[in-house]
Amino acid sequence: MDRRTLIKSGLAAAGTVAMPAYLRAQSNRKLSILTWNIADQEALFKEEFADFKAQNPGVEIEWLDKKGPELPAFYQTQLVAGTAPDIIDLQGAIWVEWAANGALLDLTPYMQKEPDVAKLYNQDYLASFVYDKKNYVVPFYIAKTLLFYNKTMFKEAGLAAAPKSFDEIVNFSQAMAKGEKTGFLTLNFDWLYWPLMQMNGVELLKPDMKTPAFNTPKTIEVLEKLAKATASGGINKIAWTGRWVEPNGAFASGNVGMLQAHSASYFFVKGQAPWVNPDTLGAAQNPGNWSTPTNHGFAISKSSKNPDLAWALVKHMTGNKWATEFSVRRRILTGNLAADKVGLEKVKAEDPLAHAVLLTQLEHTDKMCGNWPLPNDAQVKDVFWAEIQNAVLGRKDAKTAMADAERAVTRVMRRS
């Protein structure tokens, strides 16, 4: 049984799994929090929790961290058992399924009661956590895609600046392709490739959010261009077959001209690429300023016996004081306006290139795409991506691939 099936069936089966040893004893002043692959922040969390407990005498906090591949299944298991942690750190669009299936607490009443809390956050990032006009998640840390480019390869190919259109991305890629060198890579998981579609006016669904809208002559044209550039070596095939390590590693080699990825890729690439410095690496917005977010946020389990206390801890961890500490220590953006201002000022003095990269994350946040609040996002993504791969890798012609994708997405939408 996969995660999606568990989400749909698990809430009705509460109590069928034995309570894990780690789980908190049920008490009026005890909270549990589950985070997503961020164990390196243990020292910071201990300080935050100590501060919270000093303000709330008698409170106990139990913290557990799980790696990305493990957390969704672990959380679902606890939902089935009726022992879900009070607070959970969720990434991407995975939260929508749980919100739609009644696992997460609607935070809208809390925000309406304390309107100044909502004002702490970038409103576009906060709005990305809304489903059915209700807010279920508060920003913890944020990222969206941008275009990295190898200035050395650009200069060798006679290119003066980052591309300003989709056709320029393709043409620049071809211009830099030579021998072992290729011109372009993109991350592809969680719809991170979608800016390539959006900058061409391609829509996934019609306004009813139920009917496929992508099977158009324009989409077919875009895929044909991507397939041609991939076949010729302009676009590196890892763009369509890799996930995280492979495309970032390929770009770090210095043999790829452009990488469409989110800000975290900078720190990964820099750690592997001694060639990276402000003279050799550029950071720019995608053409049209389009980007796809891949954010983390805190949600509260609807089953929490202490929702008010859990809300207080969420506010504590994402408020100005501790969000600022998090931004400064981890060199990351949090979605908290005041915290990110301080974090950016500090990183600018330490690493001007990192500052340029992170600055793109706070610009044009009204142009984020590929972040539809779909309860069946994972299913739609899986069937659609399979046909995108078929088209760009030449397994099918684009027209056939999009016809097959339309049928597959339609089936998914009908089942939902």
Side-chain angles (χ1 to χ4, degrees):
M1 185 178 294
D2 63 20
R3 177 182 63 80
R4 295 188 294 273
T5 304
L6 280 170
I7 287 175
K8 291 181 179 179
S9 64
L11 297 176
T16 62
V17 177
M19 182 179 295
Y22 89 90
L23 198 70
R24 56 179 167 73
Q26 298 299 330
S27 110
N28 291 333
R29 304 293 287 173
K30 200 155 190 175
L31 292 173
S32 56
I33 179 170
L34 174 63
T35 55
W36 187 305
N37 198 26
I38 197 165
D40 61 298
Q41 294 304 299
E42 180 178 2
L44 175 62
F45 286 158
K46 284 183 176 179
E47 292 177 41
E48 293 186 32
F49 297 156
D51 186 31
F52 185 78
K53 288 189 284 187
Q55 298 173 36
N56 299 271
V59 169
E60 296 179 51
I61 300 173
E62 186 159 14
W63 169 51
L64 186 69
D65 187 81
K66 289 286 184 180
K67 295 186 182 299
E70 301 171 2
L71 185 142
F74 178 84
Y75 182 62
Q76 184 58 38
T77 300
Q78 306 317 309
L79 285 173
V80 171
T83 56
D86 297 282
I87 299 168
I88 180 170
D89 163 17
L90 294 172
Q91 185 266 339
I94 193 172
W95 64 273
V96 185
E97 278 190 271
W98 279 315
N101 285 283
L104 304 182
L105 185 68
D106 174 14
L107 302 181
T108 311
Y110 289 96
M111 292 187 176
Q112 290 174 340
K113 186 177 180 180
E114 301 178 80
D116 286 344
V117 173
K119 293 177 184 177
L120 295 176
Y121 313 110
N122 177 295
Q123 294 303 295
D124 291 323
Y125 280 112
L126 183 62
S128 71
F129 289 124
V130 171
Y131 168 69
D132 196 23
K133 299 181 180 179
K134 299 173 184 177
N135 194 292
Y136 287 91
V137 184
V138 171
F140 177 32
Y141 58 102
I142 58 171
K144 65 186 185 76
T145 53
L146 70 148
L147 191 67
F148 298 95
Y149 60 100
N150 185 319
K151 291 182 178 180
T152 303
M153 287 184 61
F154 265 52
K155 185 176 181 181
E156 290 173 350
L159 304 173
K164 302 299 183 184
S165 69
F166 173 78
D167 283 340
E168 284 198 351
I169 288 179
V170 174
N171 293 337
F172 286 16
S173 297
Q174 300 283 23
M176 289 183 282
K178 184 179 181 181
E180 295 182 354
K181 294 184 178 180
T182 52
F184 179 78
L185 276 168
T186 181
L187 300 188
N188 58 61
F189 61 91
D190 291 346
W191 302 105
L192 293 183
Y193 66 94
W194 197 257
L196 299 173
M197 299 295 175
Q198 193 70 54
M199 66 182 69
N200 282 287
V202 175
E203 299 290 345
L204 180 69
L205 300 171
K206 293 181 179 179
D208 65 6
M209 298 301 287
K210 297 178 181 179
T211 311
F214 56 80
N215 191 9
T216 65
K218 186 62 178 180
T219 307
I220 293 168
E221 176 190 335
V222 169
L223 291 175
E224 288 175 342
K225 290 178 179 179
L226 292 174
K228 183 178 179 180
T230 302
S232 68
I235 296 176
N236 194 305
K237 289 184 179 179
I238 293 174
W240 317 121
T241 61
R243 181 172 172 85
W244 170 256
V245 173
E246 300 90 346
N248 283 313
F251 188 70
S253 73
N255 290 324
V256 181
M258 294 175 283
L259 171 66
Q260 202 265 147
H262 54 87
S263 57
S265 287
Y266 167 74
F267 299 99
F268 184 100
V269 169
K270 185 180 179 182
Q272 295 189 357
W275 60 269
V276 169
N277 62 60
D279 295 324
T280 59
L281 182 68
Q285 299 288 350
N286 276 309
N289 299 316
W290 292 109
S291 64
T292 297
T294 176
N295 303 319
H296 280 254
F298 284 129
I300 297 174
S301 297
K302 195 172 182 177
S303 59
S304 172
K305 291 180 169 54
N306 297 296
D308 293 346
L309 192 61
W311 170 246
L313 182 55
V314 168
K315 288 190 300 178
H316 180 79
M317 297 182 72
T318 64
N320 290 349
K321 177 181 178 179
W322 291 110
T324 298
E325 282 295 318
F326 184 38
S327 179
V328 168
R329 294 190 195 187
R330 208 172 194 253
R331 295 206 292 182
I332 203 167
L333 297 178
T334 67
N336 177 302
L337 299 172
D340 291 342
K341 182 178 180 180
V342 174
L344 279 172
E345 289 174 352
K346 182 170 177 59
V347 79
K348 185 176 183 179
E350 298 173 347
D351 187 343
L353 182 52
H355 176 265
V357 170
L358 292 176
L359 194 61
T360 66
Q361 309 296 279
L362 301 180
E363 299 171 336
H364 305 292
T365 54
D366 61 327
K367 302 295 288 292
M368 291 190 288
C369 63
N371 58 337
W372 312 276
L374 296 174
N376 56 355
D377 176 79
Q379 299 99 307
V380 173
K381 182 166 51 189
D382 288 349
V383 299
F384 186 78
W385 172 243
E387 297 303 336
I388 291 290
Q389 279 186 310
N390 285 336
V392 296
L393 292 173
R395 299 168 183 163
K396 294 181 182 179
D397 63 85
K399 185 175 181 179
T400 299
M402 286 302 94
D404 291 346
E406 184 175 33
R407 283 190 289 271
V409 171
T410 298
R411 285 195 297 270
V412 169
M413 301 306 290
R414 286 175 179 169
R415 286 199 301 267
S416 65

